[in-house]
Amino acid sequence: MTAERRRFARLLRWYPKGWRERNGEVLLGAMLDEAERQGRDRPTGAERWSAIVHGLGARLDRRLALGCAVAALLLAALAGIALAGPALEWLRPMLPGNAARWGLPAVSAAVCPALVAVAVVALARHRGWLSEPRAVLVLVLAVPSFALSGLAAVSWSVGFDAANRDVSGGWFADAWAWFVAAGWALGAAAIAVFLVAAIGRTRMHAATAVGLALLAGVVTAPIIGVSLLTPYTAAIAAAGVAVLTLLPLRSERVTSPTATAIPTSGTMTAGNRRLSRASAWLAAAGGAVGVAYALTGARWSSGAVDTTAAMGQGITLSLVSSLPLLAGVGIVLAARSRRAPAHTWGPLLLLSVSFLAVALGYLGAPAWDRMAPALAAASVLGAAAITWWAATRLRGPVAARVVIAIVIGVGYAALQGMLVAPLMSFALPLVAAAFAIWGTRNCSGHVRTIRQGGDTSYGTAPQA
């Protein structure tokens, strides 16, 4: 290889290996031909810049989106566990200096949101919503914005601690507002660049599109920034991106004129329909009694010595009443699903045991040492149910589905596991009644079309 060819070939290193194997020789030949026409023996500045931007943009693909989403979800789960009071006290002696006080908020406010941003932009670039240069520009603006958000969180923490000790926090503590302002500006610009690409698909005038995108960026940047200060929002966003990465592109859906239609088992027998509806109404009635007892039992029940005891007993009653609802849901889903019954009843059984564990735990309220083991077991059982359900229903390669399902389950156990069941106890009457009215209806003869390559689609078959 000549020295001239090596100079141009080095530019291809910015592109991922797969892209180079498919397009490298074509691009290299085009650059060499243009250089020969202009009498040059080295790339121009514009060619270098174009290779850098387009090469980095080409690396923003589905694999990177999935990896960043999984990493963000795991970090958010770990941060949620570490930021909990007992876990933080246990970790504090192991961490150097102020790492527990400053490092964990920085992870929650900067690292996790930045990983989510990379995952979102990579997914958007992979699906063709953003061009390579625009995707790189969004990340150049968004990642420093979240870094400034993390600095603002740490700066505020330093200033707060200094104020408690009645000492000066120094310039860093006083700079939190500047960090917020700079992060807001960069975040608004990143959102505006992203939205201009979406609005550009319409017939809107360019100046109007830019103005609307900037306005939306200014308004939504602080909302997104504040919502991502906690690991909960970052975990939910990362889980959503991880699931979306498994959805195939239109170009990946192989169609065939020999597609066949197979009817799904979308109908239930009249007896099963009545049974599922009766189970739901039973759960609604039991849940209503449980909620009423939780709110008023201390006034009239001899078994409730105070409002805390009444609340725990009411939650227990309501959660036990959720078991008929889960049975009714299982009857409906098993009839409508083409999957093995074990993949419907297995997760529902784990969820039932999880609710029972919480119900038993609340019998010991308000003594946390009596409640904690049951709530921890319920979180693990709920995570196992979610993992099983997701792994058998997500699309994509088996390994990717299993990894994402496990990570989502871990995130649930770490962040939401102890909250969902108690909240569900108060929502049970409405949820069960809605299911009894709408959820037990038969779906109308759906068919599944199987095409070449295993792709499927669903439609409605005419009724006889």
Side-chain angles (χ1 to χ4, degrees):
M1 181 182 294
T2 64
E4 177 185 2
R5 187 178 180 88
R6 278 197 300 270
R7 295 190 190 101
F8 285 91
R10 278 196 292 267
L11 295 181
L12 300 181
R13 297 176 185 175
W14 290 101
Y15 292 87
K17 181 179 179 180
W19 192 97
R20 293 197 304 267
E21 292 174 349
R22 294 190 305 270
N23 308 297
E25 287 300 322
V26 176
L27 177 59
L28 181 60
M31 288 191 296
L32 289 172
D33 290 343
E34 181 65 15
E36 182 180 1
R37 189 183 67 83
Q38 296 180 359
R40 293 183 286 107
D41 62 353
R42 62 189 67 245
T44 64
E47 287 174 331
R48 290 192 177 92
W49 179 249
S50 177
I52 293 172
V53 173
H54 286 85
L56 291 176
R59 293 180 181 273
L60 300 173
D61 55 9
R62 175 184 286 167
R63 180 178 299 180
L64 181 64
L66 180 58
C68 288
V70 170
L73 188 51
L74 285 175
L75 279 177
L78 293 175
I81 295 173
L83 289 172
L88 186 58
E89 292 303 319
W90 179 72
L91 285 171
R92 194 181 300 277
M94 306 179 189
L95 298 175
N98 293 315
R101 192 169 56 210
W102 300 347
L104 294 176
V107 170
S108 299
V111 179
C112 289
L115 287 171
V116 172
V118 174
V120 169
V121 173
L123 181 62
R125 207 289 308 172
H126 175 72
R127 292 192 165 272
W129 302 337
L130 289 176
S131 63
E132 286 87 354
R134 200 182 295 272
V136 172
L137 178 57
V138 171
L139 287 183
V140 167
L141 296 169
V143 172
S145 172
F146 288 120
L148 289 167
S149 176
L151 287 174
V154 176
S155 174
W156 176 269
S157 177
V158 171
F160 188 83
D161 292 342
N164 283 339
R165 299 193 305 270
D166 198 22
V167 297
S168 173
W171 69 268
F172 183 71
D174 296 335
W176 70 268
W178 293 102
F179 291 139
V180 170
W184 187 349
L186 289 176
I191 294 171
V193 172
F194 192 100
L195 292 178
V196 165
I199 299 175
R201 296 171 179 267
T202 67
R203 297 182 179 180
M204 186 179 297
H205 190 273
T208 305
V210 171
L212 287 176
L214 284 173
L215 177 62
V218 170
V219 172
T220 59
I223 298 174
I224 295 175
V226 171
S227 66
L228 290 175
L229 287 176
T230 66
Y232 301 95
T233 311
I236 294 172
V241 174
V243 172
L244 289 175
T245 58
L246 296 182
L247 298 180
L249 300 174
R250 289 186 178 182
S251 59
E252 295 171 342
R253 300 173 185 173
V254 182
T255 60
S256 169
T258 60
T260 59
I262 300 177
T264 65
S265 51
T267 60
M268 294 182 292
T269 65
N272 282 344
R273 188 164 59 252
R274 285 194 296 268
L275 179 59
S276 62
R277 186 177 292 125
S279 299
W281 283 121
L282 177 61
V289 172
V291 171
Y293 187 97
L295 299 177
T296 66
R299 303 175 186 174
W300 51 268
S301 174
S302 59
V305 296
D306 54 24
T307 55
T308 302
M311 183 67 68
Q313 293 165 7
I315 290 175
T316 296
L317 179 59
S318 185
L319 288 175
V320 171
S321 301
S322 69
L323 300 183
L325 173 62
L326 293 176
V329 170
I331 292 172
V332 173
L333 295 181
R336 295 179 179 176
S337 176
R338 294 186 59 85
R339 296 172 180 85
H343 295 318
T344 296
W345 289 108
L348 289 176
L349 178 60
L350 289 174
L351 192 59
S352 300
V353 179
S354 172
F355 283 3
L356 275 179
V358 177
L360 293 174
Y362 268 88
L363 289 177
W368 176 249
D369 57 340
R370 296 174 59 186
M371 297 173 60
L375 295 180
S379 296
V380 174
L381 289 168
I386 291 173
T387 300
W388 189 345
W389 187 274
T392 55
R393 283 162 176 80
L394 292 175
R395 298 182 180 181
V398 174
R401 288 190 282 123
V402 171
V403 168
I404 292 175
I406 292 174
V407 172
I408 292 175
V410 170
Y412 169 85
L415 300 174
Q416 303 290 343
M418 295 188 181
L419 302 177
V420 171
L423 293 175
M424 176 64 186
S425 66
F426 289 94
L428 177 62
L430 294 178
V431 173
F435 179 79
I437 296 172
W438 293 293
T440 57
R441 296 178 179 178
N442 271 328
C443 55
S444 55
H446 284 78
V447 297
R448 185 176 74 162
T449 302
I450 302 179
R451 298 188 177 93
Q452 180 183 351
D455 185 36
T456 61
S457 65
Y458 292 85
T460 302
Q463 300 298 302

